[in-house]
Amino acid sequence: MRKTTGNIVGQFFGGLNCYLRRCMFAILSVGPVPSHIAFIMDGNRRYAKKKNMEEGDGHKAGFNALTSLLRYCYELGVKYVTVYAFSIDNFKRKSTEVQSLMELMRKKIEELLEQESLINEYGVRLHFIGDMKLLTDPVRAAAEKATRVTAHNNQRVLLICVAYTSRHEIVHAVQECCKEKLNEVQVSKEEKITNDAFSGIDQGLKGNDFDLLSQDSCKEYRNAIKACSTEVECAARNDGLFENNIGNHISNDTEAETTLYNGLVELTEERKDIQDELPVIKLADIEKNMYMAVAPDPDILIRSSGEARLSNFLLWQTTTCPLYAPTALWPEIGLRHLIWAVLNFQRHYFYLEKKKKQS
C-alpha cells in the first residue's frame, strides 16, 4: 500500500515538475533562443572523489546529467547540442582508465539507440566529431552504427566530440584543403597538356596537308621525319658550318645580350601567369573541411567546475561565443545552470550579433 502511494506521489510531483519546467521554457522562448549550445563536461573524477565513489562511477553520474540537460535543451527548442566527451589528450591517461572509458562509451552509445531513449523521442541525429581512427574497434563500430541508424532524423542534432582537439581539427581541415587544391592543379595541367598536344598535332598536320585517317598521309609523315633526320646528321658532320656559327656568335655579343634579356622577360611573364593560375586556399575552404561543418557555430559554451578555459575545444568556432562556467561539477549541473546561461545569452544577444557581423 505504501509503495503504491509512493509511486502515485512520485508521478504527481514528476508531472508537476515537468509542467513548471515547460512554463519557464515558454517564458524564455519569448526572447531569442540559442540554436546551438556546447558543453565541456568537466569534473566527473572530482565528483567521484567528493562522494567517495569508485573511479568509473563519476563518469556514469556524468552521463545521467548529460541525459537530463539534453532533455532540457530540446524542450527549450535548442536544435544543436555539442558535448566534449573525450579529448585526444585523454589517451595519455592510465591505460586501464582509458580502456574503462572506452567500454563505458560503447555501452552508453548503445543505450542511446534504445527504443525508449531520448534520441528516438526527439528525433535526434547523432554525429561523432573527431579522428575516429584513434578509437578502439568496438567504440568505432558502435559510433558508425549510431550515425547510420539516426541519419534519417532531422528534428534535433547531437554532436559528440571523441578523439578530438581543436588544433587537430584545424590541421585536418588544412590538409584536406591542400589535397583538394592539388587535385585541381593536376586536373588543370592534364587538361591543358591534352588540349595543347591535340591542338599542336592538328595544326601541324593541317599545315602539311596530312590526314591521320589516310594511310597515304601517315606514310608521307614517316618519310618526312626520316628525311629531316638525315639532313640533321649531315649538318652535324659539317665542321666548317659549326666554326662559322661560332665566329658569328663571338662577334655579336650585343645581340646575344639582347636575346638573353628578352628570354628573361618572357620567363618572368610565364612564371607570373603560372602564379595567377594557382588556386588559393580561402576561409570558406577551411571551414568546409572542418569536422564541425555539420553545425553552425555555438551560441553558448558551458563548462562545468568553474574552469574558464577552453581546453583545446572549438577554438575556431567560439570567437564570438560567450563562456559560462558555473562552479558545479558536471554531475551536479542542472536546470538552473542552463536557465541562467540562456538568460545571460539573451541579455547580450544584440551585442553578440553585432560582433558576429563584424567578424
Side-chain angles (χ1 to χ4, degrees), residues 280-338:
V280 178
I281 295 177
K282 299 179 181 179
L283 179 63
D285 297 322
I286 295 178
E287 291 183 339
K288 180 185 68 175
N289 285 287
M290 286 284 189
Y291 291 135
M292 289 293 295
V294 294
D297 292 345
D299 297 305
I300 305 174
L301 176 59
I302 300 176
R303 174 168 186 156
S304 56
S305 76
E307 296 286 347
R309 53 192 172 86
L310 299 183
S311 295
N312 212 348
F313 178 60
L314 301 184
L315 301 179
W316 186 280
Q317 295 85 1
T318 54
T319 52
T320 58
C321 175
L323 171 64
Y324 175 55
T327 56
L329 301 174
W330 177 251
E332 298 171 337
I333 201 165
L335 178 62
R336 68 184 186 278
H337 302 103
L338 177 64

Short mmCIF file of all heavy atoms in Angstrom, two decimals, residues 280-338:
data_model
loop_
_atom_site.label_atom_id
_atom_site.label_comp_id
_atom_site.label_asym_id
_atom_site.label_seq_id
_atom_site.Cartn_x
_atom_site.Cartn_y
_atom_site.Cartn_z
N VAL A 280 43.94 29.29 -54.68
CA VAL A 280 44.21 29.85 -53.37
C VAL A 280 43.27 29.22 -52.35
O VAL A 280 42.08 29.05 -52.61
CB VAL A 280 44.02 31.38 -53.39
CG1 VAL A 280 44.25 31.98 -52.00
CG2 VAL A 280 44.95 32.03 -54.40
N ILE A 281 43.82 28.84 -51.17
CA ILE A 281 43.00 28.31 -50.09
C ILE A 281 42.33 29.47 -49.38
O ILE A 281 43.00 30.35 -48.83
CB ILE A 281 43.85 27.48 -49.10
CG1 ILE A 281 44.42 26.24 -49.79
CG2 ILE A 281 43.01 27.07 -47.90
CD1 ILE A 281 45.31 25.41 -48.91
N LYS A 282 41.00 29.48 -49.39
CA LYS A 282 40.24 30.56 -48.78
C LYS A 282 39.63 30.11 -47.45
O LYS A 282 39.64 28.93 -47.11
CB LYS A 282 39.14 31.03 -49.74
CG LYS A 282 39.66 31.56 -51.07
CD LYS A 282 38.52 31.98 -51.98
CE LYS A 282 39.05 32.49 -53.31
NZ LYS A 282 37.96 32.89 -54.24
N LEU A 283 39.11 31.10 -46.72
CA LEU A 283 38.50 30.81 -45.43
C LEU A 283 37.35 29.81 -45.57
O LEU A 283 37.20 28.89 -44.76
CB LEU A 283 38.00 32.11 -44.80
CG LEU A 283 37.29 31.99 -43.45
CD1 LEU A 283 38.24 31.46 -42.39
CD2 LEU A 283 36.73 33.34 -43.02
N ALA A 284 36.56 29.98 -46.62
CA ALA A 284 35.42 29.09 -46.84
C ALA A 284 35.88 27.64 -47.08
O ALA A 284 35.20 26.69 -46.70
CB ALA A 284 34.59 29.58 -48.01
N ASP A 285 37.04 27.47 -47.73
CA ASP A 285 37.57 26.12 -47.98
C ASP A 285 37.91 25.42 -46.67
O ASP A 285 37.62 24.23 -46.49
CB ASP A 285 38.81 26.20 -48.88
CG ASP A 285 38.49 26.76 -50.25
OD1 ASP A 285 37.41 26.42 -50.78
OD2 ASP A 285 39.31 27.51 -50.79
N ILE A 286 38.55 26.16 -45.75
CA ILE A 286 38.93 25.57 -44.46
C ILE A 286 37.68 25.23 -43.65
O ILE A 286 37.57 24.13 -43.09
CB ILE A 286 39.84 26.53 -43.69
CG1 ILE A 286 41.17 26.72 -44.44
CG2 ILE A 286 40.11 26.00 -42.28
CD1 ILE A 286 42.12 27.68 -43.79
N GLU A 287 36.73 26.15 -43.59
CA GLU A 287 35.52 25.90 -42.80
C GLU A 287 34.71 24.73 -43.36
O GLU A 287 34.08 23.99 -42.61
CB GLU A 287 34.67 27.17 -42.75
CG GLU A 287 35.31 28.29 -41.93
CD GLU A 287 34.44 29.51 -41.85
OE1 GLU A 287 33.54 29.65 -42.72
OE2 GLU A 287 34.65 30.32 -40.92
N LYS A 288 34.76 24.57 -44.66
CA LYS A 288 34.03 23.45 -45.29
C LYS A 288 34.60 22.11 -44.88
O LYS A 288 33.87 21.11 -44.79
CB LYS A 288 34.10 23.61 -46.81
CG LYS A 288 33.39 22.52 -47.60
CD LYS A 288 33.62 22.69 -49.09
CE LYS A 288 35.07 22.42 -49.45
NZ LYS A 288 35.32 22.45 -50.91
N ASN A 289 35.91 22.05 -44.60
CA ASN A 289 36.57 20.79 -44.26
C ASN A 289 36.73 20.58 -42.75
O ASN A 289 37.39 19.63 -42.34
CB ASN A 289 37.94 20.73 -44.93
CG ASN A 289 37.85 20.47 -46.42
OD1 ASN A 289 37.55 19.36 -46.86
ND2 ASN A 289 38.09 21.50 -47.22
N MET A 290 36.13 21.44 -41.95
CA MET A 290 36.16 21.25 -40.50
C MET A 290 35.25 20.08 -40.11
O MET A 290 34.23 19.82 -40.75
CB MET A 290 35.67 22.52 -39.79
CG MET A 290 36.68 23.66 -39.80
SD MET A 290 38.00 23.37 -38.63
CE MET A 290 38.81 24.96 -38.68
N TYR A 291 35.63 19.38 -39.03
CA TYR A 291 34.74 18.34 -38.51
C TYR A 291 33.37 18.93 -38.15
O TYR A 291 32.33 18.29 -38.35
CB TYR A 291 35.33 17.71 -37.24
CG TYR A 291 36.57 16.88 -37.45
CD1 TYR A 291 37.67 17.00 -36.60
CD2 TYR A 291 36.64 15.94 -38.47
CE1 TYR A 291 38.81 16.21 -36.77
CE2 TYR A 291 37.77 15.15 -38.65
CZ TYR A 291 38.86 15.30 -37.79
OH TYR A 291 39.98 14.53 -37.97
N MET A 292 33.37 20.16 -37.63
CA MET A 292 32.15 20.80 -37.14
C MET A 292 31.37 21.51 -38.24
O MET A 292 30.47 22.31 -37.94
CB MET A 292 32.49 21.80 -36.03
CG MET A 292 32.92 21.16 -34.72
SD MET A 292 31.58 20.27 -33.90
CE MET A 292 30.47 21.62 -33.51
N ALA A 293 31.69 21.24 -39.49
CA ALA A 293 30.99 21.89 -40.60
C ALA A 293 29.52 21.46 -40.67
O ALA A 293 28.73 22.10 -41.37
CB ALA A 293 31.68 21.57 -41.92
N VAL A 294 29.14 20.41 -39.95
CA VAL A 294 27.75 19.91 -40.00
C VAL A 294 26.82 20.74 -39.12
O VAL A 294 25.60 20.48 -39.10
CB VAL A 294 27.71 18.44 -39.55
CG1 VAL A 294 28.45 17.55 -40.53
CG2 VAL A 294 28.28 18.28 -38.14
N ALA A 295 27.36 21.72 -38.38
CA ALA A 295 26.53 22.52 -37.48
C ALA A 295 26.99 23.97 -37.49
O ALA A 295 28.16 24.26 -37.77
CB ALA A 295 26.61 21.96 -36.06
N PRO A 296 26.10 24.91 -37.17
CA PRO A 296 26.53 26.30 -37.03
C PRO A 296 27.40 26.50 -35.80
O PRO A 296 27.47 25.62 -34.92
CB PRO A 296 25.20 27.06 -36.89
CG PRO A 296 24.25 26.06 -36.33
CD PRO A 296 24.66 24.74 -36.91
N ASP A 297 28.06 27.64 -35.71
CA ASP A 297 28.90 27.92 -34.54
C ASP A 297 28.03 28.00 -33.28
O ASP A 297 26.87 28.44 -33.33
CB ASP A 297 29.64 29.24 -34.73
CG ASP A 297 30.70 29.16 -35.82
OD1 ASP A 297 31.04 28.02 -36.23
OD2 ASP A 297 31.18 30.21 -36.27
N PRO A 298 28.58 27.59 -32.13
CA PRO A 298 27.79 27.61 -30.89
C PRO A 298 27.38 29.04 -30.49
O PRO A 298 28.13 29.99 -30.72
CB PRO A 298 28.74 27.01 -29.85
CG PRO A 298 29.76 26.26 -30.63
CD PRO A 298 29.91 26.99 -31.93
N ASP A 299 26.21 29.15 -29.89
CA ASP A 299 25.75 30.42 -29.32
C ASP A 299 26.17 30.56 -27.87
O ASP A 299 26.38 31.67 -27.38
CB ASP A 299 24.22 30.51 -29.42
CG ASP A 299 23.75 30.51 -30.87
OD1 ASP A 299 24.22 31.35 -31.65
OD2 ASP A 299 22.93 29.63 -31.22
N ILE A 300 26.28 29.44 -27.16
CA ILE A 300 26.70 29.43 -25.76
C ILE A 300 27.65 28.26 -25.54
O ILE A 300 27.43 27.17 -26.06
CB ILE A 300 25.50 29.26 -24.80
CG1 ILE A 300 24.43 30.33 -25.06
CG2 ILE A 300 25.95 29.34 -23.34
CD1 ILE A 300 23.16 30.12 -24.24
N LEU A 301 28.71 28.50 -24.78
CA LEU A 301 29.61 27.42 -24.36
C LEU A 301 29.56 27.35 -22.84
O LEU A 301 29.86 28.33 -22.14
CB LEU A 301 31.04 27.71 -24.83
CG LEU A 301 32.10 26.71 -24.37
CD1 LEU A 301 31.79 25.30 -24.85
CD2 LEU A 301 33.49 27.13 -24.86
N ILE A 302 29.18 26.20 -22.31
CA ILE A 302 29.07 25.98 -20.87
C ILE A 302 30.12 24.99 -20.43
O ILE A 302 30.20 23.88 -20.97
CB ILE A 302 27.66 25.47 -20.49
CG1 ILE A 302 26.59 26.48 -20.92
CG2 ILE A 302 27.58 25.20 -19.00
CD1 ILE A 302 25.17 26.01 -20.67
N ARG A 303 30.94 25.41 -19.46
CA ARG A 303 31.94 24.50 -18.90
C ARG A 303 31.71 24.38 -17.39
O ARG A 303 31.70 25.38 -16.67
CB ARG A 303 33.35 25.00 -19.16
CG ARG A 303 34.38 24.13 -18.45
CD ARG A 303 35.79 24.38 -18.87
NE ARG A 303 36.67 23.39 -18.24
CZ ARG A 303 37.84 23.01 -18.69
NH1 ARG A 303 38.29 23.53 -19.82
NH2 ARG A 303 38.56 22.12 -18.07
N SER A 304 31.55 23.17 -16.93
CA SER A 304 31.32 22.94 -15.51
C SER A 304 32.62 23.04 -14.72
O SER A 304 33.71 23.16 -15.30
CB SER A 304 30.68 21.56 -15.30
OG SER A 304 31.49 20.56 -15.90
N SER A 305 32.51 23.01 -13.39
CA SER A 305 33.61 23.00 -12.42
C SER A 305 34.31 24.35 -12.29
O SER A 305 35.35 24.45 -11.64
CB SER A 305 34.65 21.91 -12.74
OG SER A 305 35.47 22.28 -13.83
N GLY A 306 33.76 25.41 -12.87
CA GLY A 306 34.30 26.75 -12.66
C GLY A 306 35.55 27.09 -13.43
O GLY A 306 36.11 28.18 -13.25
N GLU A 307 36.00 26.22 -14.32
CA GLU A 307 37.20 26.48 -15.12
C GLU A 307 36.85 27.36 -16.32
O GLU A 307 35.97 27.01 -17.11
CB GLU A 307 37.81 25.16 -15.62
CG GLU A 307 38.32 24.26 -14.51
CD GLU A 307 39.61 24.77 -13.91
OE1 GLU A 307 40.22 25.69 -14.49
OE2 GLU A 307 40.02 24.26 -12.85
N ALA A 308 37.53 28.50 -16.44
CA ALA A 308 37.24 29.44 -17.53
C ALA A 308 38.28 29.31 -18.63
O ALA A 308 38.93 30.28 -19.04
CB ALA A 308 37.20 30.87 -17.00
N ARG A 309 38.47 28.11 -19.15
CA ARG A 309 39.38 27.87 -20.26
C ARG A 309 38.73 26.87 -21.22
O ARG A 309 37.89 26.08 -20.83
CB ARG A 309 40.75 27.36 -19.77
CG ARG A 309 40.67 26.16 -18.86
CD ARG A 309 42.01 25.86 -18.18
NE ARG A 309 41.88 24.82 -17.18
CZ ARG A 309 41.96 23.53 -17.41
NH1 ARG A 309 42.18 23.09 -18.65
NH2 ARG A 309 41.85 22.65 -16.43
N LEU A 310 39.19 26.90 -22.47
CA LEU A 310 38.54 26.09 -23.50
C LEU A 310 39.13 24.69 -23.63
O LEU A 310 38.50 23.81 -24.22
CB LEU A 310 38.63 26.81 -24.85
CG LEU A 310 37.95 28.18 -24.92
CD1 LEU A 310 38.06 28.75 -26.32
CD2 LEU A 310 36.49 28.07 -24.51
N SER A 311 40.34 24.48 -23.14
CA SER A 311 40.98 23.16 -23.19
C SER A 311 40.99 22.56 -24.60
O SER A 311 40.66 21.40 -24.81
CB SER A 311 40.28 22.18 -22.22
OG SER A 311 40.45 22.60 -20.89
N ASN A 312 41.35 23.40 -25.57
CA ASN A 312 41.51 22.94 -26.96
C ASN A 312 40.20 22.42 -27.56
O ASN A 312 40.18 21.46 -28.31
CB ASN A 312 42.57 21.84 -27.01
CG ASN A 312 43.35 21.84 -28.32
OD1 ASN A 312 42.96 22.52 -29.28
ND2 ASN A 312 44.42 21.10 -28.38
N PHE A 313 39.11 23.11 -27.21
CA PHE A 313 37.77 22.70 -27.67
C PHE A 313 37.13 23.83 -28.46
O PHE A 313 36.93 24.93 -27.96
CB PHE A 313 36.91 22.34 -26.47
CG PHE A 313 35.50 21.94 -26.81
CD1 PHE A 313 35.25 20.86 -27.63
CD2 PHE A 313 34.42 22.65 -26.30
CE1 PHE A 313 33.94 20.49 -27.95
CE2 PHE A 313 33.12 22.29 -26.61
CZ PHE A 313 32.87 21.21 -27.43
N LEU A 314 36.81 23.57 -29.74
CA LEU A 314 36.09 24.52 -30.59
C LEU A 314 36.74 25.90 -30.61
O LEU A 314 36.05 26.93 -30.54
CB LEU A 314 34.63 24.64 -30.15
CG LEU A 314 33.80 23.35 -30.16
CD1 LEU A 314 32.35 23.67 -29.79
CD2 LEU A 314 33.86 22.64 -31.49
N LEU A 315 38.07 25.95 -30.72
CA LEU A 315 38.77 27.23 -30.74
C LEU A 315 38.38 28.05 -31.96
O LEU A 315 38.28 29.28 -31.88
CB LEU A 315 40.29 27.00 -30.75
CG LEU A 315 40.86 26.20 -29.58
CD1 LEU A 315 42.37 26.05 -29.75
CD2 LEU A 315 40.54 26.87 -28.25
N TRP A 316 38.16 27.39 -33.08
CA TRP A 316 37.82 28.08 -34.34
C TRP A 316 36.39 28.63 -34.29
O TRP A 316 36.10 29.70 -34.82
CB TRP A 316 37.97 27.10 -35.50
CG TRP A 316 37.78 27.70 -36.86
CD1 TRP A 316 36.60 27.98 -37.47
CD2 TRP A 316 38.80 28.10 -37.77
NE1 TRP A 316 36.81 28.52 -38.72
CE2 TRP A 316 38.16 28.60 -38.93
CE3 TRP A 316 40.20 28.08 -37.74
CZ2 TRP A 316 38.86 29.07 -40.03
CZ3 TRP A 316 40.89 28.54 -38.85
CH2 TRP A 316 40.23 29.02 -39.97
N GLN A 317 35.48 27.89 -33.65
CA GLN A 317 34.04 28.18 -33.74
C GLN A 317 33.53 29.10 -32.63
O GLN A 317 32.36 29.49 -32.66
CB GLN A 317 33.24 26.87 -33.71
CG GLN A 317 33.47 25.96 -34.89
CD GLN A 317 34.69 25.04 -34.74
OE1 GLN A 317 35.37 25.09 -33.71
NE2 GLN A 317 34.97 24.24 -35.74
N THR A 318 34.33 29.42 -31.62
CA THR A 318 33.82 30.15 -30.45
C THR A 318 34.40 31.56 -30.33
O THR A 318 34.53 32.08 -29.22
CB THR A 318 34.13 29.36 -29.16
OG1 THR A 318 35.54 29.07 -29.10
CG2 THR A 318 33.35 28.06 -29.11
N THR A 319 34.73 32.19 -31.45
CA THR A 319 35.34 33.53 -31.40
C THR A 319 34.37 34.58 -30.86
O THR A 319 34.79 35.55 -30.24
CB THR A 319 35.81 33.95 -32.80
OG1 THR A 319 34.72 33.79 -33.73
CG2 THR A 319 36.98 33.08 -33.26
N THR A 320 33.08 34.41 -31.09
CA THR A 320 32.07 35.36 -30.59
C THR A 320 31.07 34.68 -29.68
O THR A 320 29.92 35.12 -29.57
CB THR A 320 31.34 36.02 -31.77
OG1 THR A 320 30.71 35.01 -32.58
CG2 THR A 320 32.29 36.83 -32.63
N CYS A 321 31.50 33.61 -29.03
CA CYS A 321 30.59 32.81 -28.21
C CYS A 321 30.85 33.08 -26.72
O CYS A 321 32.00 32.99 -26.27
CB CYS A 321 30.79 31.32 -28.53
SG CYS A 321 29.85 30.21 -27.49
N PRO A 322 29.82 33.42 -25.94
CA PRO A 322 30.04 33.65 -24.50
C PRO A 322 30.30 32.34 -23.77
O PRO A 322 29.72 31.30 -24.09
CB PRO A 322 28.71 34.29 -24.05
CG PRO A 322 27.70 33.80 -25.03
CD PRO A 322 28.41 33.65 -26.34
N LEU A 323 31.19 32.41 -22.78
CA LEU A 323 31.53 31.25 -21.96
C LEU A 323 30.89 31.40 -20.59
O LEU A 323 31.06 32.40 -19.91
CB LEU A 323 33.05 31.13 -21.81
CG LEU A 323 33.57 30.09 -20.82
CD1 LEU A 323 33.20 28.69 -21.26
CD2 LEU A 323 35.08 30.22 -20.65
N TYR A 324 30.12 30.38 -20.20
CA TYR A 324 29.51 30.35 -18.87
C TYR A 324 30.13 29.19 -18.10
O TYR A 324 30.09 28.04 -18.56
CB TYR A 324 28.00 30.18 -18.98
CG TYR A 324 27.29 30.02 -17.66
CD1 TYR A 324 27.43 30.96 -16.64
CD2 TYR A 324 26.46 28.92 -17.42
CE1 TYR A 324 26.78 30.82 -15.42
CE2 TYR A 324 25.81 28.76 -16.22
CZ TYR A 324 25.97 29.71 -15.22
OH TYR A 324 25.34 29.56 -14.02
N ALA A 325 30.72 29.49 -16.92
CA ALA A 325 31.47 28.47 -16.18
C ALA A 325 30.98 28.40 -14.74
O ALA A 325 31.58 29.00 -13.83
CB ALA A 325 32.97 28.79 -16.23
N PRO A 326 29.88 27.69 -14.48
CA PRO A 326 29.41 27.53 -13.10
C PRO A 326 30.37 26.68 -12.29
O PRO A 326 31.10 25.84 -12.84
CB PRO A 326 28.05 26.84 -13.27
CG PRO A 326 28.17 26.10 -14.56
CD PRO A 326 29.04 26.95 -15.44
N THR A 327 30.39 26.88 -10.98
CA THR A 327 31.32 26.14 -10.12
C THR A 327 30.90 24.69 -9.92
O THR A 327 31.70 23.88 -9.44
CB THR A 327 31.43 26.83 -8.75
OG1 THR A 327 30.12 26.94 -8.18
CG2 THR A 327 32.04 28.22 -8.89
N ALA A 328 29.68 24.35 -10.27
CA ALA A 328 29.20 22.97 -10.08
C ALA A 328 29.99 22.01 -10.95
O ALA A 328 30.34 22.32 -12.09
CB ALA A 328 27.72 22.90 -10.44
N LEU A 329 30.32 20.84 -10.39
CA LEU A 329 30.95 19.79 -11.17
C LEU A 329 29.93 19.23 -12.16
O LEU A 329 28.71 19.40 -11.97
CB LEU A 329 31.47 18.69 -10.25
CG LEU A 329 32.50 19.15 -9.21
CD1 LEU A 329 32.84 17.99 -8.27
CD2 LEU A 329 33.76 19.70 -9.86
N TRP A 330 30.41 18.54 -13.19
CA TRP A 330 29.49 18.14 -14.25
C TRP A 330 28.30 17.31 -13.76
O TRP A 330 27.15 17.60 -14.14
CB TRP A 330 30.24 17.40 -15.36
CG TRP A 330 29.32 16.91 -16.43
CD1 TRP A 330 28.96 15.63 -16.68
CD2 TRP A 330 28.58 17.72 -17.35
NE1 TRP A 330 28.04 15.57 -17.72
CE2 TRP A 330 27.81 16.85 -18.15
CE3 TRP A 330 28.50 19.09 -17.58
CZ2 TRP A 330 26.96 17.31 -19.15
CZ3 TRP A 330 27.66 19.56 -18.59
CH2 TRP A 330 26.90 18.67 -19.36
N PRO A 331 28.47 16.29 -12.91
CA PRO A 331 27.29 15.54 -12.46
C PRO A 331 26.33 16.37 -11.63
O PRO A 331 25.17 15.97 -11.43
CB PRO A 331 27.90 14.40 -11.63
CG PRO A 331 29.30 14.26 -12.14
CD PRO A 331 29.72 15.65 -12.48
N GLU A 332 26.77 17.53 -11.13
CA GLU A 332 25.92 18.38 -10.29
C GLU A 332 25.18 19.44 -11.11
O GLU A 332 24.31 20.13 -10.57
CB GLU A 332 26.77 19.09 -9.24
CG GLU A 332 27.47 18.15 -8.27
CD GLU A 332 28.47 18.86 -7.39
OE1 GLU A 332 28.95 19.95 -7.78
OE2 GLU A 332 28.80 18.32 -6.31
N ILE A 333 25.53 19.60 -12.37
CA ILE A 333 24.94 20.66 -13.18
C ILE A 333 23.49 20.31 -13.48
O ILE A 333 23.13 19.14 -13.65
CB ILE A 333 25.75 20.86 -14.48
CG1 ILE A 333 25.49 22.25 -15.06
CG2 ILE A 333 25.47 19.78 -15.49
CD1 ILE A 333 26.52 22.65 -16.11
N GLY A 334 22.63 21.35 -13.50
CA GLY A 334 21.21 21.07 -13.66
C GLY A 334 20.47 22.16 -14.40
O GLY A 334 21.05 23.01 -15.09
N LEU A 335 19.15 22.18 -14.20
CA LEU A 335 18.27 23.09 -14.93
C LEU A 335 18.58 24.54 -14.64
O LEU A 335 18.57 25.39 -15.55
CB LEU A 335 16.82 22.76 -14.58
CG LEU A 335 15.75 23.66 -15.21
CD1 LEU A 335 15.78 23.54 -16.73
CD2 LEU A 335 14.37 23.28 -14.67
N ARG A 336 18.85 24.88 -13.38
CA ARG A 336 19.08 26.28 -13.03
C ARG A 336 20.31 26.86 -13.73
O ARG A 336 20.32 28.04 -14.11
CB ARG A 336 19.22 26.44 -11.51
CG ARG A 336 20.46 25.80 -10.92
CD ARG A 336 20.46 25.93 -9.40
NE ARG A 336 21.70 25.48 -8.80
CZ ARG A 336 21.98 24.23 -8.54
NH1 ARG A 336 21.10 23.28 -8.85
NH2 ARG A 336 23.13 23.90 -7.98
N HIS A 337 21.32 26.02 -13.95
CA HIS A 337 22.52 26.50 -14.65
C HIS A 337 22.22 26.78 -16.11
O HIS A 337 22.70 27.76 -16.68
CB HIS A 337 23.63 25.45 -14.53
CG HIS A 337 24.01 25.13 -13.12
ND1 HIS A 337 23.59 23.98 -12.49
CD2 HIS A 337 24.74 25.82 -12.20
CE1 HIS A 337 24.06 23.95 -11.26
NE2 HIS A 337 24.76 25.05 -11.05
N LEU A 338 21.42 25.91 -16.73
CA LEU A 338 21.05 26.12 -18.13
C LEU A 338 20.21 27.39 -18.30
O LEU A 338 20.46 28.20 -19.20
CB LEU A 338 20.27 24.91 -18.65
CG LEU A 338 19.76 25.02 -20.09
CD1 LEU A 338 20.92 25.10 -21.07
CD2 LEU A 338 18.87 23.83 -20.44
#
